[in-house]
PDB file of all heavy atoms in Angstrom:
ATOM      1  N   SER A 173     -18.400  -0.081   2.307  1.00  0.00           N
ATOM      2  CA  SER A 173     -17.163  -0.002   3.018  1.00  0.00           C
ATOM      3  C   SER A 173     -17.063   1.290   3.811  1.00  0.00           C
ATOM      4  O   SER A 173     -16.607   1.286   4.959  1.00  0.00           O
ATOM      5  CB  SER A 173     -15.949  -0.059   2.013  1.00  0.00           C
ATOM      6  OG  SER A 173     -15.860  -1.304   1.458  1.00  0.00           O
ATOM      7  N   CYS A 174     -17.472   2.358   3.191  1.00  0.00           N
ATOM      8  CA  CYS A 174     -17.370   3.674   3.892  1.00  0.00           C
ATOM      9  C   CYS A 174     -18.277   3.707   5.120  1.00  0.00           C
ATOM     10  O   CYS A 174     -17.879   4.185   6.173  1.00  0.00           O
ATOM     11  CB  CYS A 174     -17.775   4.740   2.888  1.00  0.00           C
ATOM     12  SG  CYS A 174     -17.414   6.418   3.494  1.00  0.00           S
ATOM     13  N   LEU A 175     -19.467   3.147   4.984  1.00  0.00           N
ATOM     14  CA  LEU A 175     -20.352   3.116   6.163  1.00  0.00           C
ATOM     15  C   LEU A 175     -19.782   2.274   7.259  1.00  0.00           C
ATOM     16  O   LEU A 175     -19.813   2.667   8.432  1.00  0.00           O
ATOM     17  CB  LEU A 175     -21.738   2.552   5.717  1.00  0.00           C
ATOM     18  CG  LEU A 175     -22.512   3.339   4.675  1.00  0.00           C
ATOM     19  CD1 LEU A 175     -23.828   2.611   4.316  1.00  0.00           C
ATOM     20  CD2 LEU A 175     -22.813   4.767   5.152  1.00  0.00           C
ATOM     21  N   VAL A 176     -19.188   1.118   6.895  1.00  0.00           N
ATOM     22  CA  VAL A 176     -18.626   0.226   7.916  1.00  0.00           C
ATOM     23  C   VAL A 176     -17.420   0.871   8.593  1.00  0.00           C
ATOM     24  O   VAL A 176     -17.333   0.979   9.788  1.00  0.00           O
ATOM     25  CB  VAL A 176     -18.227  -1.127   7.239  1.00  0.00           C
ATOM     26  CG1 VAL A 176     -17.442  -1.961   8.230  1.00  0.00           C
ATOM     27  CG2 VAL A 176     -19.454  -1.869   6.753  1.00  0.00           C
ATOM     28  N   TRP A 177     -16.505   1.335   7.798  1.00  0.00           N
ATOM     29  CA  TRP A 177     -15.200   1.834   8.308  1.00  0.00           C
ATOM     30  C   TRP A 177     -15.332   3.131   9.082  1.00  0.00           C
ATOM     31  O   TRP A 177     -14.548   3.420   9.931  1.00  0.00           O
ATOM     32  CB  TRP A 177     -14.196   2.008   7.191  1.00  0.00           C
ATOM     33  CG  TRP A 177     -13.647   0.697   6.682  1.00  0.00           C
ATOM     34  CD1 TRP A 177     -14.345  -0.194   5.929  1.00  0.00           C
ATOM     35  CD2 TRP A 177     -12.321   0.169   6.827  1.00  0.00           C
ATOM     36  NE1 TRP A 177     -13.531  -1.271   5.627  1.00  0.00           N
ATOM     37  CE2 TRP A 177     -12.270  -1.056   6.166  1.00  0.00           C
ATOM     38  CE3 TRP A 177     -11.171   0.631   7.454  1.00  0.00           C
ATOM     39  CZ2 TRP A 177     -11.146  -1.845   6.086  1.00  0.00           C
ATOM     40  CZ3 TRP A 177     -10.011  -0.152   7.385  1.00  0.00           C
ATOM     41  CH2 TRP A 177     -10.034  -1.347   6.724  1.00  0.00           C
ATOM     42  N   SER A 178     -16.340   3.924   8.759  1.00  0.00           N
ATOM     43  CA  SER A 178     -16.395   5.214   9.498  1.00  0.00           C
ATOM     44  C   SER A 178     -17.246   5.181  10.705  1.00  0.00           C
ATOM     45  O   SER A 178     -17.316   6.144  11.443  1.00  0.00           O
ATOM     46  CB  SER A 178     -16.893   6.322   8.500  1.00  0.00           C
ATOM     47  OG  SER A 178     -18.078   5.934   7.886  1.00  0.00           O
ATOM     48  N   SER A 179     -17.884   4.054  10.945  1.00  0.00           N
ATOM     49  CA  SER A 179     -18.822   4.000  12.057  1.00  0.00           C
ATOM     50  C   SER A 179     -18.530   2.944  13.115  1.00  0.00           C
ATOM     51  O   SER A 179     -19.385   2.662  13.980  1.00  0.00           O
ATOM     52  CB  SER A 179     -20.243   3.752  11.544  1.00  0.00           C
ATOM     53  OG  SER A 179     -20.332   2.412  11.015  1.00  0.00           O
ATOM     54  N   ARG A 180     -17.360   2.306  13.082  1.00  0.00           N
ATOM     55  CA  ARG A 180     -17.061   1.278  14.079  1.00  0.00           C
ATOM     56  C   ARG A 180     -17.085   1.886  15.484  1.00  0.00           C
ATOM     57  O   ARG A 180     -16.469   2.922  15.683  1.00  0.00           O
ATOM     58  CB  ARG A 180     -15.737   0.593  13.758  1.00  0.00           C
ATOM     59  CG  ARG A 180     -15.785  -0.202  12.467  1.00  0.00           C
ATOM     60  CD  ARG A 180     -14.461  -0.946  12.237  1.00  0.00           C
ATOM     61  NE  ARG A 180     -13.340  -0.028  12.228  1.00  0.00           N
ATOM     62  CZ  ARG A 180     -12.123  -0.374  12.684  1.00  0.00           C
ATOM     63  NH1 ARG A 180     -11.931  -1.546  13.210  1.00  0.00           N
ATOM     64  NH2 ARG A 180     -11.153   0.499  12.623  1.00  0.00           N
ATOM     65  N   LYS A 181     -17.735   1.221  16.345  1.00  0.00           N
ATOM     66  CA  LYS A 181     -17.935   1.765  17.705  1.00  0.00           C
ATOM     67  C   LYS A 181     -16.596   2.038  18.396  1.00  0.00           C
ATOM     68  O   LYS A 181     -15.713   1.182  18.464  1.00  0.00           O
ATOM     69  CB  LYS A 181     -18.698   0.772  18.583  1.00  0.00           C
ATOM     70  CG  LYS A 181     -20.144   0.821  18.288  1.00  0.00           C
ATOM     71  CD  LYS A 181     -21.018   0.504  19.551  1.00  0.00           C
ATOM     72  CE  LYS A 181     -22.472   0.847  19.313  1.00  0.00           C
ATOM     73  NZ  LYS A 181     -23.017   0.149  18.166  1.00  0.00           N
ATOM     74  N   GLY A 182     -16.442   3.237  18.878  1.00  0.00           N
ATOM     75  CA  GLY A 182     -15.186   3.637  19.508  1.00  0.00           C
ATOM     76  C   GLY A 182     -14.172   4.098  18.514  1.00  0.00           C
ATOM     77  O   GLY A 182     -13.177   4.713  18.882  1.00  0.00           O
ATOM     78  N   ASN A 183     -14.393   3.779  17.232  1.00  0.00           N
ATOM     79  CA  ASN A 183     -13.474   4.224  16.180  1.00  0.00           C
ATOM     80  C   ASN A 183     -14.176   5.069  15.142  1.00  0.00           C
ATOM     81  O   ASN A 183     -13.822   5.026  13.949  1.00  0.00           O
ATOM     82  CB  ASN A 183     -12.875   2.997  15.477  1.00  0.00           C
ATOM     83  CG  ASN A 183     -11.886   2.294  16.362  1.00  0.00           C
ATOM     84  OD1 ASN A 183     -10.889   2.857  16.816  1.00  0.00           O
ATOM     85  ND2 ASN A 183     -12.132   1.015  16.691  1.00  0.00           N
ATOM     86  N   GLU A 184     -15.196   5.745  15.536  1.00  0.00           N
ATOM     87  CA  GLU A 184     -15.950   6.614  14.548  1.00  0.00           C
ATOM     88  C   GLU A 184     -15.048   7.611  13.962  1.00  0.00           C
ATOM     89  O   GLU A 184     -14.135   8.151  14.623  1.00  0.00           O
ATOM     90  CB  GLU A 184     -17.147   7.292  15.253  1.00  0.00           C
ATOM     91  CG  GLU A 184     -18.269   6.340  15.715  1.00  0.00           C
ATOM     92  CD  GLU A 184     -18.043   5.824  17.148  1.00  0.00           C
ATOM     93  OE1 GLU A 184     -16.963   6.007  17.670  1.00  0.00           O
ATOM     94  OE2 GLU A 184     -19.000   5.282  17.695  1.00  0.00           O
ATOM     95  N   LEU A 185     -15.260   7.885  12.704  1.00  0.00           N
ATOM     96  CA  LEU A 185     -14.347   8.806  11.987  1.00  0.00           C
ATOM     97  C   LEU A 185     -15.123  10.009  11.459  1.00  0.00           C
ATOM     98  O   LEU A 185     -16.301   9.970  11.132  1.00  0.00           O
ATOM     99  CB  LEU A 185     -13.757   8.051  10.799  1.00  0.00           C
ATOM    100  CG  LEU A 185     -12.844   6.849  11.174  1.00  0.00           C
ATOM    101  CD1 LEU A 185     -12.402   6.102   9.951  1.00  0.00           C
ATOM    102  CD2 LEU A 185     -11.636   7.334  11.985  1.00  0.00           C
ATOM    103  N   PRO A 186     -14.366  11.156  11.424  1.00  0.00           N
ATOM    104  CA  PRO A 186     -15.037  12.396  10.958  1.00  0.00           C
ATOM    105  C   PRO A 186     -15.172  12.468   9.429  1.00  0.00           C
ATOM    106  O   PRO A 186     -14.350  13.093   8.733  1.00  0.00           O
ATOM    107  CB  PRO A 186     -14.059  13.482  11.447  1.00  0.00           C
ATOM    108  CG  PRO A 186     -12.698  12.806  11.515  1.00  0.00           C
ATOM    109  CD  PRO A 186     -12.965  11.370  11.859  1.00  0.00           C
TER     110      PRO A 186
END
Side-chain angles (χ1 to χ4, degrees):
Chain A
S173 290
C174 191
L175 299 178
V176 171
W177 286 69
S178 51
S179 68
R180 293 185 303 146
K181 281 213 168 56
N183 288 301
E184 291 90 346
L185 296 173

